[in-house]
Amino acid sequence: MSITEAFTMSRQSQAESIIRSHVLWAMGGGLIPIPLVDFAAVTAIQLEMLQQLAALYGVEYSRSTGKAFVSALTGTTVARLGASMIKAIPGVGSVIGGASMSITSGASTYAVGQVAINHFSNAGNLSNFVEDQVKQAYESAFARGKNYVSDLEDEQDAAQDVYSALEKLGKLKEQGILTEDEFQVKKQELLARL
């Protein structure tokens, strides 16, 4: 493997890590129970992700060019606004709207990140994109993003199970039922599952 290939793979790995963390944040932002506040939070998360990706790829970033890029991709994202507004329905609205908004927000953030990586990798910047092309790429990535978000939800559930088990082990150790060595062995077994 050449140095250039290694650098490209390393940068790709870093970019994927940036996207993953921001998708998780966007999913959480989508759960904010106040209509439109959730939408604003997710947009801010996407702009922060875009800024980090631009820095990684050496692309000049400004808030205005970032907003123009995200707006070109997501438009008003009627589905996200709709999910956000469902939260205004008393009672069940926040549950249904929150779940829908969380999935949509995560998938949208994933799509914005993937389009940015592809655009930046091909010597693109935040001023020279062709709106129709990036919008089409966004729609395709958004569809993949729904599966990506579903996989992350499964990972979150698994991680939550591991953390619950670790908490129980810690209590057993505090009660003197497990020794420090036994606790460490069990802890390593649980963490290996993640």
Side-chain angles (χ1 to χ4, degrees):
M1 177 182 303
S2 72
I3 293 173
T4 304
E5 290 171 330
F7 174 74
T8 300
M9 287 180 64
S10 173
R11 185 164 61 182
Q12 181 72 24
S13 176
Q14 290 174 7
E16 293 296 338
S17 178
I18 290 169
I19 291 172
R20 184 179 191 280
S21 65
H22 285 82
V23 166
L24 289 168
W25 292 340
M27 290 169 66
L31 293 173
I32 295 172
I34 305 166
L36 300 181
V37 172
D38 54 356
F39 187 79
V42 171
T43 300
I45 289 165
Q46 290 176 346
L47 289 172
E48 181 185 326
M49 175 187 66
L50 188 59
Q51 182 178 12
Q52 289 182 17
L53 291 172
L56 181 64
Y57 283 86
V59 172
E60 190 174 323
Y61 176 88
S62 72
R63 191 151 178 87
S64 62
T65 57
K67 282 183 177 180
F69 187 79
V70 170
S71 293
L73 296 178
T74 63
T76 57
T77 312
V78 176
R80 278 178 47 202
L81 283 173
S84 180
M85 294 312 292
I86 287 173
K87 292 177 184 178
I89 300 169
V92 74
S94 63
V95 174
I96 295 169
S100 177
M101 184 68 180
S102 177
I103 292 166
T104 304
S105 297
S108 177
T109 302
Y110 172 85
V112 169
Q114 292 300 320
V115 172
I117 288 174
N118 187 45
H119 186 62
F120 296 160
S121 294
N122 292 307
N125 61 48
L126 292 171
S127 301
N128 71 351
F129 61 90
V130 177
E131 189 169 341
D132 290 340
Q133 289 175 353
V134 294
K135 181 72 171 169
Q136 186 176 9
Y138 171 83
E139 294 298 332
S140 175
F142 182 80
R144 291 190 317 273
K146 289 179 183 177
N147 291 330
Y148 184 83
V149 167
S150 177
D151 291 345
L152 284 180
E153 286 178 329
D154 293 345
E155 284 180 36
Q156 283 180 316
D157 291 344
Q160 187 61 42
D161 291 344
V162 168
Y163 292 129
S164 294
L166 283 173
E167 188 176 27
K168 290 175 186 173
L169 282 175
K171 287 179 183 175
L172 292 173
K173 185 182 89 171
E174 287 173 12
Q175 295 170 352
I177 297 170
L178 289 178
T179 67
E180 178 64 32
D181 290 339
E182 292 170 327
F183 172 76
Q184 291 300 328
V185 168
K186 291 294 183 188
K187 176 180 163 185
Q188 292 307 316
E189 288 175 7
L190 287 169
L191 292 175
R193 294 182 194 174
L194 290 177

